[in-house]
Every structure is written in C-alpha cells, then in structure tokens.
Amino acid sequence: MGAPESDPSDKGKMAGKAGAAPEMCTRGIETESVIASGARTPAIGSAAVAGVLLICGRHNAAVSEFPTFTTHLDCSATGKRYTADVLHGLSEAGKPLLVRYDLARVARAVTRETFSARREGGFWRYRELLPVRKSADVVSLGEVTTPLVSLDAVAKRHGARQLLVKDEGRLPTGSFKARGLALAVAMAKAFGVRRMAMPTNGNAGAALAAYAARAGIETFVFCPADTPEINVREIALAGARVTLVDGLINDCGRRVAEGRERMGWFDVSTLKEPYRIEGKKTMGYELAEQLDWKLPDVILYPTGGGTGLIGMWKAFDELEAIGFIDSRRPRMVAVQAAGCAPIVRAWERGEDHAELWQNAQTIAAGIRVPAAIGDFLILDAVRKSRGFAIAVDDAAITQALAEVARIEGLLLCPEGAATHAAWRAALADGRIGVDETAVLFNCASGLKYPLPPA
Ligand SMILES: Cc1ncc(COP(=O)(O)O)c(C=O)c1O
C-alpha cells in the first residue's frame, strides 16, 4: 500500500483512492449485518495549535505554522525507505512503517524550554516531532498533559520507595487512544481521506469516531460483540457506523480488510498506518519532561497491540538524538492478561514473533489482543531494555483495582490495574527492586468500564 521512496508515481494514490469512494453511511449499531447507505452529518470544524495557544473551536483565530521536520518513513522490518507526504499503510513487506525526522535540525530548532514554555495543547506541544505539516490539519478536542500521580500509600504498603501512575484517562474520550487517533485523523485530513475504518476493543473506536467527527470524515468501526456497552454507545453517538462482530478484535480486523477496497476505507487498524504510533509516542516525551528529563527505572505498560510501548521506545531514541536525555533507558515491561498473553509466551520462549493466542479471555478488554502485527517490535524493545513480559490473572486485576481505589482514591481501568498487579508480582519475586521508580500506565478512565457492585 505504501509507496517506496524510489517510486514517485505513487504520490497521492491512497488519498485519491479514499477520496473517490462512493458516498454512503448511516448512523447506528449493527450486528454482523450489511452496511447500508444514508447521509452523514457535516463537518463541525477543527482546531489548530497557534504558538502556545490552542484553539479548539470552529472559528480559528490567527494560526501560525510550525517548522516541520519529517524526512521519510522506514519499514520497521526491512529498513526500506518510503517517501513522506504520501498517505501510507503497511510497507511492501506487510510490516509497520515508522516516521523519521531530521533530528539534527530539530535539535537546532528547539530546546527543552521550547516545549515546557508551551502551556496549552497537551501533546501538540511537541509539534516539531510530529508529522502534521500544517496547523490547519490539526484536529483537537482540548488535549491535556496527563498527570503523573504518586501512589505513596500503596508504595509504602508494599515496602517500595516510589510508585507513579501516568493517568491517561484524562484525555478526550477518556483514554490514551486520543493521542494516536488525533494524529491519524489529522494526517488523514491532510491527505483528503473521506472514510476511515478500524477494528477496536472500544477505546480506539471511540477516539477515532470523535476526532473524525470533528474533521468531517466518515468512520466505520468493528467491535467484538461483547465490547463494553458504554464504548459501543459512545462510538455510535459520535456518528460512526458500528458493527458488532461475533468474534475477537482479529476477526474485526478481517472484516475491515475485506471491506477496504469495496468501501474505499482507509484502514486505521493498530500499526497498519504509521501515524497512530506518532501520537502514542508522546507519552514518552511527556513522561521524560515530567521527570525533569530523567527516565524512570521501570515502565509497566498494558500491552495489546503494543503501540504505546513501541512508540515510547522510539520517543526515547528521538529525545536522545536531540540531546534532551542520555542513553539510559527504563526497563520496559509488557503486561498482559493470563487469558490472553501471546507476547509473554513468545518472550518466555525467546521467540521474535508471537503465535496467535486461542480462546482469548480477560476482563481487561483493551489487552484482549490475540495477535499483534508489531509483535517483533514489542519483543525487541522489551529485550533491548532488559525488561520482561508478565501475565496477571483477572482475580489479581480486580484486587489491584480495588486496592488502588480504596487506598489512594484513584480509579484505574482494568488494563491499568493489570500493571499494578504486575508491579506487585515483580516486586515480590525481585524483578523490580523496592528502590526503583516504577511508572504504571493507566490508559483509560475506570469510569468507562462496568464497576463491581457496591
Ligand atoms: C485501556 C487500554 N489499555 C491498553 C490497551 C493496549 O494498548 P496498545 O494497543 O498500545 O498495546 C488498550 C487498547 O485498546 C486500552 O484500551
């Protein structure tokens, strides 16, 4: 799908293809049924980053351009170079593409203070390290820098010095998926895409639907039939066409692939386009900035498709290249649920790729991902960082969620609670030391999930 850099004739192909799709779309939720046609609500405007000022309304005031530094994209498996400024999916090898920047020029253009002086705009503050060229293509719902919440009482209870939670539930649509989908939608807007489709366990679909609604792009979202009701309703309310699929996220992914040509969809499945990862990597920038450009000892990340883990690993290299951090890295810990742990199994076996996990089951819906296209990138980051992969069962997740809510007053999502359960287990078996600073990623608001009875 993506154009190698040596083939300029492909320039604009995807944008043209997506833009030429036949008109159709209705609102609503379907269960494995045929998609019908209808009308779509019109665009309601976009926002732009203007210097330090983020304007989230329909009527943008003065919009100033930022210098941009994207040079090309690389195939993450073969290293083959692809040209920038063309809409890309996977590489010719069927692997994720990674966006590259002229980091020497970025280093000359920004200082640490450049970013910290920008008080507004959440992750858009790192514009020089993002692929969006024009401010007018930025799509914003009022992003914030998510807080690092210190769990002092929980740390003390377990004999540890410091435990921090990066609470991503504060972002628009209540999850970190806002980061990736804001970027994917902005790039789709820049390339004139009219229709986007994705498989989702809920949170990604909600973020896609919301940002695309704001950009005036039609969306088609496929969820497993047992996706939490609140997610399904949220997606539908934002105007997406939702189809409930009798299966798991990989079955939903197949449905997207099957409809891609016929429906003229741009496929925004995890890592099947290169821009979501650029949004997710900003978790790494924020974390470094919040810790005064010193990375923690350990990061525990709830791993499904692994975009955030791979993205942060990429972000750290970029920060080192521009001189903001040194070569020290946190140990990256991929946390999965015992009922769906393909990465843990591959890590334990010393394999580079993860086999499909059969009969995946867990209450942590976001990490119920039986197969990840970026498996080799997740495993690579975990190994290079000298981290590990660990699985926790649903009982431990439920107990961890209750402990943090009761002792700290912080409501984690089940995926975030999985990282807490993993931290406890690793502290107990010595894989994490009591003197080490660990950061847990709580990737969504706990309020998006069914809660246990009072
Ligand atoms: C709350 C939550 N945590 C973690 C994940 C897994 O994220 P990733 O795909 O980056 O591994 C998801 C994905 O849906 C999620 O919704």
Side-chain angles (χ1 to χ4, degrees):
M1 180 187 289
E5 197 168 42
S6 55
D7 183 5
S9 62
D10 271 2
K11 195 163 161 60
K13 236 182 196 174
M14 270 308 302
K17 191 191 275 179
E23 278 309 308
M24 50 123 311
C25 179
T26 55
R27 258 168 197 245
I29 304 169
E30 290 186 0
T31 307
E32 289 282 6
S33 54
V34 179
I35 297 167
S37 45
R40 158 99 194 149
T41 43
I44 56 166
S46 64
V49 176
V52 296
L53 182 68
L54 182 77
I55 305 154
C56 300
R58 185 191 178 106
H59 305 290
N60 293 338
V63 172
S64 64
E65 293 300 331
F66 281 64
T68 61
F69 299 93
T70 312
T71 52
H72 65 282
L73 296 87
D74 282 331
C75 172
S76 56
T78 65
K80 183 166 182 173
R81 242 175 116 103
Y82 288 75
T83 188
D85 300 314
V86 173
L87 184 64
H88 288 287
L90 290 170
S91 73
E92 280 172 355
K95 299 294 179 190
L97 286 170
L98 300 173
V99 181
R100 302 298 185 197
Y101 302 85
D102 184 340
L103 294 171
R105 279 185 57 223
V106 174
R108 289 195 294 275
V110 296
T111 63
R112 292 168 171 179
E113 290 68 39
T114 311
F115 293 141
S116 53
R118 294 175 185 162
R119 292 275 160 232
E120 308 280 338
F123 51 79
W124 294 112
R125 291 186 301 121
Y126 308 109
R127 272 289 298 281
E128 288 84 352
L129 289 161
L130 295 175
V132 182
R133 300 267 197 208
K134 292 200 210 114
S135 292
D137 291 324
V138 169
V139 186
S140 170
L141 284 163
E143 295 70 29
V144 294
T145 298
T146 61
L148 260 185
V149 182
S150 186
L151 302 189
D152 296 343
V154 165
K156 195 167 167 208
R157 190 170 201 233
H158 296 283
R161 193 173 51 81
Q162 193 176 31
L163 180 62
L164 301 168
V165 174
K166 182 113 172 101
D167 191 6
E168 294 285 296
R170 323 288 176 106
L171 284 162
T173 71
S175 91
F176 71 153
K177 298 288 180 182
R179 295 181 188 267
L181 273 311
L183 260 295
V185 170
M187 293 305 285
K189 183 180 167 191
F191 289 119
V193 169
R194 306 289 312 138
R195 299 174 158 189
M196 302 171 84
M198 70 148 52
T200 178
N201 279 323
N203 289 324
L208 171 67
Y211 282 95
R214 204 148 166 87
I217 296 174
E218 290 179 32
T219 46
F220 299 81
V221 172
F222 294 79
C223 314
D226 60 355
T227 300
E229 185 66 22
I230 189 159
N231 290 102
V232 177
R233 291 184 185 198
E234 181 188 10
I235 298 166
L237 205 55
R241 186 62 182 274
V242 190
T243 302
L244 298 179
V245 174
D246 186 16
L248 297 174
I249 190 163
N250 47 325
D251 302 303
C252 297
R254 211 169 305 123
R255 296 289 305 275
V256 172
E258 282 162 13
R260 199 163 43 211
E261 287 300 314
R262 185 170 49 87
M263 303 294 289
W265 291 332
F266 180 56
D267 184 349
V268 259
S269 303
T270 301
L271 290 172
K272 287 194 180 165
E273 56 74 58
Y275 310 110
R276 283 175 67 180
I277 187 172
E278 292 305 290
K280 286 273 198 87
K281 77 178 182 185
T282 62
M283 292 189 291
Y285 296 158
E286 264 182 38
L287 183 61
E289 191 180 358
Q290 285 170 311
L291 294 175
D292 202 19
W293 307 104
K294 284 179 209 71
L295 299 176
D297 299 307
V298 192
I299 288 178
L300 293 104
Y301 183 80
T303 307
T307 326
L309 192 149
I310 301 164
M312 283 193 277
W313 194 243
K314 178 176 190 280
F316 298 150
D317 282 350
E318 290 169 349
L319 289 180
E320 186 184 351
I322 63 171
F324 282 25
I325 61 169
D326 61 23
S327 61
R328 272 172 294 189
R329 295 288 182 273
R331 299 205 299 290
M332 304 297 286
V333 179
V335 178
Q336 297 202 300
C340 182
I343 298 295
V344 179
R345 185 172 60 189
W347 181 78
E348 284 169 351
R349 290 178 179 169
E351 291 165 353
D352 293 336
H353 289 273
E355 232 177 77
L356 177 87
W357 188 273
Q358 301 293 343
N359 305 318
Q361 268 179 343
T362 170
I363 54 166
I367 52 174
R368 195 177 59 166
V369 179
I373 191 165
D375 53 2
F376 64 107
L377 298 171
I378 304 170
L379 289 159
D380 188 52
V382 167
R383 289 196 178 110
K384 283 202 175 116
S385 73
R386 296 200 300 280
F388 55 92
I390 178 171
V392 290
D393 65 26
D394 282 1
I397 292 175
T398 307
Q399 207 223 333
L401 197 145
E403 179 184 90
V404 177
R406 195 178 62 251
I407 298 177
E408 299 279 7
L410 184 68
L411 182 63
L412 301 175
C413 62
E415 298 83 356
T419 65
H420 178 53
W423 173 77
R424 281 172 50 174
L427 206 60
D429 68 20
R431 282 194 276 182
I432 295 178
V434 289
D435 287 328
E436 292 192 301
T437 298
V439 175
L440 312 179
F441 272 81
N442 184 51
C443 295
S445 164
L447 293 172
K448 298 192 82 174
Y449 296 76
L451 295 175

